[in-house]
Every structure is written in C-alpha cells, then in structure tokens.
Amino acid sequence: MIKAFQILGFSSGFISISHRLKKPHSAHGFSLFSSKLSHNSTPKSPSFRLIQMFSTQSQSNSDSPSSSSVSVHSAGSVHRIKFCQWCGGPAKHEIPDGEEKIRAICTLCGKIAYQNPKMVVGCLIEHDRKILLCKRNIEPSFGLWTLPAGYLEIGESAADGAIRETWEEAGAEVEVISPFAQLDIPLIGQTYVIFLAKLKKPQFSAGPESSECCLFELDNIPFDSLAFSSIFVTLNLYIEDVKSGKVKFHYGTINKRLGTGPSDIRAFTLDYHLQV
C-alpha cells in the first residue's frame, strides 16, 4: 500500500497513463487496451491524463455530472439533516464563516455537522483461475452479484475490514495479498478499496447477506448481473491485467451520471485512472 501511494507523490518525473477504448465483442461492456507509460523529467509535479471509460451505449458529455451538479446534490443531502446529533436542537443550513459549503448548523449549541465519505472495503479472491462472487440477499441490488465487500468499521484497518466482510458474506477465510484498486465515487460519497486475496482453505458458503457464493471463470463472470459500478470496473480492470500478464494497482474516480437509477451500473465515466 505504501509503495503504491508513494508514486502519487513522486515529483521528479511526469507519469501519464493512457488507454484507448474500442467497442467490445464481449458481454461485459468495454475493453481496455494499449496501456502506455511516458516519462518527462521537466515538470515539477505529477499529472494524470484524463481517462474515460464508457458503456457500450453512446453517451454525450452533457450527461456526465459536472462539478456544479455534484455540489447541488451534496447540498441536498445536507438539507436532510434537521436536528443536531449532539443536543437534538433544530438545524439551520448555511455556509459557516471561513468555509465554502452549506452545512447543517445547530441553532442551540452552534455545532456543525460535517458529512464525510464512507469507505467500502472488500476482496477480489482468485482460486484456480476463478473469481469468488456473492449473490446479494439484501437490498440494494438484491439478487445481483458482487465481490464480498462492505463498510469499514471504526477500529479496523482497511485490510482487516475486507477480511471480516469476506467472512461475513462468503464464509471464507482469506489472506490479503496486496491492494488492487481504490475507486472514489464522489456523487454518493463512497470510496472503494479492493484487495487481492487468496483462500486459506478451499471452503466458502453464503452468509446471511448472500443467497449464493460461486467461483466464476474469467470468461463466465456475469457482467450483466453485477450489483454495482465499482464491481463492474474492478473486475474489468482485473481481467485486463490478467490478459497483459501483470496485475497492477489501480486508482480512479467513478463519476456516476445524475438522473440514472441504481440498477444502471454502466452509466458512469472513470476519470483520472492511474495504474502502477
């Protein structure tokens, strides 16, 4: 993990990674190919070329969430806070002195409620060249497939949380190998951290939140029945890495498109895609 993020702070060279996209013949929506890494010793800070991954359906730029539309969405969630979490007093909604965003401020004690993103952690488990997936037994995305993953809890490291979630959802004991992907989703306030992991024992079973667990060969992953955009992206990145012969660490921002339902997992762009 430390090695992967040190590259983000590398200041003596320019790193850019570019992918070109072609219309895929496979069922899973898009294909990444022709990765290029270029270096230049003159810039003072690292820069990343904008990368966009689109679904097979044509999408116009106007459909992608702009910075202003995301701000409106965020402000809307702030307005749902009606009362103070500390004293129970009614909240007002305005921009505090010295800040730039609307906050929920208690009219009695004056405390400000800050909203922070949630971290989701999980494991991408390969066993005998197959990937372990869980079919969700709860909403959202009931009946769809996902990697074992869930919200990080207080007192856990990201890796510990991923191991716990894998046990809870797939009844599998795993050993974390390395971080594979960090995917930020600003519109819904989530960051996914997915680890590569291996089974300690070749045993797994569905937990309470899963109706079924199954190992899928890479060519048979049910891309048309995946639960979330983050899982869709993660699995595609992994397949491309396997095809290239080298599994890398990936960082990217998934920009969900406003006005689409949760079932439309391909309505997004993947921006600022860095791989190392």
Side-chain angles (χ1 to χ4, degrees):
M1 177 70 83
I2 294 175
K3 181 178 179 180
F5 282 100
Q6 280 176 337
I7 295 178
L8 290 173
F10 183 67
S11 61
S12 61
F14 171 69
I15 301 174
S16 70
I17 298 155
S18 64
H19 289 290
R20 293 181 292 113
L21 302 177
K22 64 180 179 180
K23 186 174 181 180
H25 298 289
S26 60
H28 50 87
F30 58 78
S31 177
L32 299 178
F33 71 107
S34 185
S35 299
K36 297 179 181 179
L37 193 64
S38 62
H39 299 272
N40 186 319
S41 60
T42 56
K44 296 180 180 180
S45 60
S47 301
F48 309 120
R49 184 172 301 172
L50 179 66
I51 309 302
Q52 292 186 318
M53 295 159 61
F54 297 92
S55 69
T56 50
Q57 298 177 348
S58 63
Q59 302 173 357
S60 65
N61 291 336
S62 61
D63 290 328
S64 300
S66 64
S67 58
S68 60
S69 62
V70 172
S71 297
V72 170
H73 179 84
S74 300
S77 63
V78 169
H79 282 283
R80 289 198 293 267
I81 301 176
K82 302 296 184 182
F83 300 97
C84 177
Q85 61 181 305
W86 293 279
C87 73
K92 62 180 179 179
H93 304 93
E94 58 186 43
I95 301 176
D97 292 340
E99 299 196 24
E100 298 178 350
K101 294 184 178 180
I102 296 175
R103 309 287 188 185
I105 306 170
C106 180
T107 57
L108 296 182
C109 70
K111 290 186 177 180
I112 302 172
Y114 290 96
Q115 295 178 296
N116 303 109
K118 298 283 189 179
M119 179 175 284
V120 180
V121 292
C123 288
L124 195 166
I125 303 156
E126 183 185 36
H127 183 73
D128 291 339
R129 297 187 62 80
K130 299 177 181 179
I131 299 297
L132 180 63
L133 298 179
C134 303
K135 181 178 284 187
R136 288 178 62 81
N137 196 37
I138 57 173
E139 294 291 355
S141 301
F142 177 87
L144 299 180
W145 293 93
T146 183
L147 295 172
Y151 289 117
L152 184 67
E153 295 185 0
I154 298 295
E156 291 182 320
S157 68
D160 287 342
I163 291 170
R164 173 186 54 78
E165 285 289 344
T166 301
W167 171 252
E168 292 177 356
E169 297 187 3
E173 295 185 44
V174 297
E175 177 183 344
V176 165
I177 300 171
S178 65
F180 174 70
Q182 178 183 332
L183 300 170
D184 299 334
I185 315 178
L187 188 63
I188 59 175
Q190 292 183 358
T191 289
Y192 275 73
V193 177
I194 303 297
F195 294 88
L196 293 177
K198 62 181 180 181
L199 293 172
K200 290 184 176 180
K201 304 175 183 178
Q203 300 169 353
F204 53 87
S205 60
E209 296 184 1
S210 305
S211 60
E212 183 181 353
C213 295
C214 185
L215 287 167
F216 289 90
E217 294 182 355
L218 297 185
D219 290 337
N220 293 324
I221 290 175
F223 279 97
D224 290 333
S225 301
L226 293 180
F228 308 111
S229 298
S230 53
I231 305 305
F232 182 84
V233 171
T234 298
L235 290 171
N236 272 282
L237 291 174
Y238 181 75
I239 289 173
E240 292 300 322
D241 281 359
V242 171
K243 289 179 179 178
S244 72
K246 181 181 179 182
V247 177
K248 299 174 282 290
F249 172 78
H250 299 267
Y251 170 77
T253 299
I254 296 177
N255 283 314
K256 302 282 287 184
R257 301 211 290 154
L258 289 172
T260 57
S263 61
D264 191 359
I265 67 166
R266 303 190 190 197
F268 69 90
T269 61
L270 177 63
D271 303 326
Y272 307 113
H273 175 217
L274 170 69
Q275 59 183 17
V276 291

